[in-house]
């Protein structure tokens, strides 16, 4: 079966609750993002949620970036 969707695999087939308890949708610098809170309190960008193609060209919004 093929699913044509903008959702990530984790959103369609969720993991256990404790594995995703640290993940949140936030707005940072006017951009919507899906982030994960780390043990030290910082946030790591998992997914940029934008309809503007130029946002994806900005290295500051690439997946894995630590947000301060």
């Amino acid at each position: 079966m093929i699913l044509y969707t903008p959702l990530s695999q984790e959103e369609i087939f969720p993991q256990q609750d404790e594995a995703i308890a640290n993940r949140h949708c936030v707005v940072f610098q006017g951009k919507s993002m899906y982030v994960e809170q780390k043990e030290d309190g910082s946030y790591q960008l998992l997914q940029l949620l934008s309809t503007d193609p130029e946002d994806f060209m900005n290295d500051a919004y690439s997946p894995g970036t630590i947000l301060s």
Side-chain angles (χ1 to χ4, degrees), residues 40-57:
D40 62 355
S42 64
Y43 290 92
Q44 181 178 17
L45 176 63
L46 298 175
Q47 183 179 13
L48 177 62
L49 306 171
S50 176
T51 57
D52 185 359
E54 295 221 4
D55 290 343
F56 294 94
M57 300 301 292

Side-chain angles (χ1 to χ4, degrees), residues 29 33 45 48 53-67:
Q29 297 179 349
M33 305 175 180
L45 176 63
L48 177 62
E54 295 221 4
D55 290 343
F56 294 94
M57 300 301 292
N58 189 342
D59 289 337
Y61 303 130
S62 61
T65 302
I66 302 297
L67 305 175

Side-chain angles (χ1 to χ4, degrees), residues 4-63:
Y4 294 99
T5 177
L7 301 175
S8 66
Q9 180 177 351
E10 291 81 18
E11 292 174 308
I12 297 169
F13 305 108
Q15 299 172 1
Q16 295 188 9
D17 292 335
E18 62 271 357
I20 59 171
N22 301 2
R23 296 183 179 184
H24 311 282
C25 287
V26 299
V27 176
F28 179 73
Q29 297 179 349
K31 311 292 183 203
S32 296
M33 305 175 180
Y34 195 54
V35 297
E36 180 175 25
Q37 187 173 12
K38 296 296 181 184
E39 293 177 3
D40 62 355
S42 64
Y43 290 92
Q44 181 178 17
L45 176 63
L46 298 175
Q47 183 179 13
L48 177 62
L49 306 171
S50 176
T51 57
D52 185 359
E54 295 221 4
D55 290 343
F56 294 94
M57 300 301 292
N58 189 342
D59 289 337
Y61 303 130
S62 61

